[in-house]
Amino acid sequence: MEQLSYEIEINAEPEKVWSVLWGDITYRQWTTAFTEGSFYEGTLEEHSIIKFLDPKNNGMYSRVEKMIPNEEITFLHLGEIYEGIEVPQDWGESTEAYFLEENEEGTLLKTKIKTLQNLKLSLKRNFPKPYPSSSICQKISFKHRKNNIKPNQPLKFIIWKPYLMKQ
């Protein structure tokens, strides 16, 4: 397995970042960088099955392995979906995990992906795209309690560091 890791500092509270990541409308907006019209079906609860789909009902399905609202969610990828039909895959322990850590700047969002060697290059090339270019994150406004940011001020992205680690 290969592990890809990404970090971005977002000037917002973890609750706000979480709502952008997993809210129905905002999820559809930030995942447009992967596939136009992306959405998910299912409940974000431990052991639930989630389907990540495009408008033609193609995509993948995963099980929620761990879920701590506003802090962490981990998906175990189980298979692909073709025109709505689930096709199991032997992906071993392929996972995708999101971690939110509150700090003085707001929230450090970390994403860790364990993947097979043959999928690594595609993920490495495509995964970072949503965060810095995501129009939804730049439009969200908030009043951050620690930094006294004025309402309607856009989120500030401080860093985006992709790196690759072999396991």
Side-chain angles (χ1 to χ4, degrees), residues 6 8 30-34 122-135 138 160 162:
Y6 303 93
I8 185 170
W30 76 265
T31 58
T32 294
F34 296 120
S122 174
L123 285 168
K124 190 176 179 183
R125 181 176 55 249
N126 293 319
F127 198 85
K129 291 179 183 177
Y131 295 108
S133 63
S134 175
S135 61
Q138 293 176 17
W160 177 246

Side-chain angles (χ1 to χ4, degrees), residues 59-61 78-91:
M60 65 187 309
Y61 65 102
L78 303 172
E80 296 176 298
I81 301 172
Y82 299 102
E83 296 178 356
I85 298 171
E86 295 177 9
V87 180
Q89 300 294 320
D90 185 15
W91 289 335

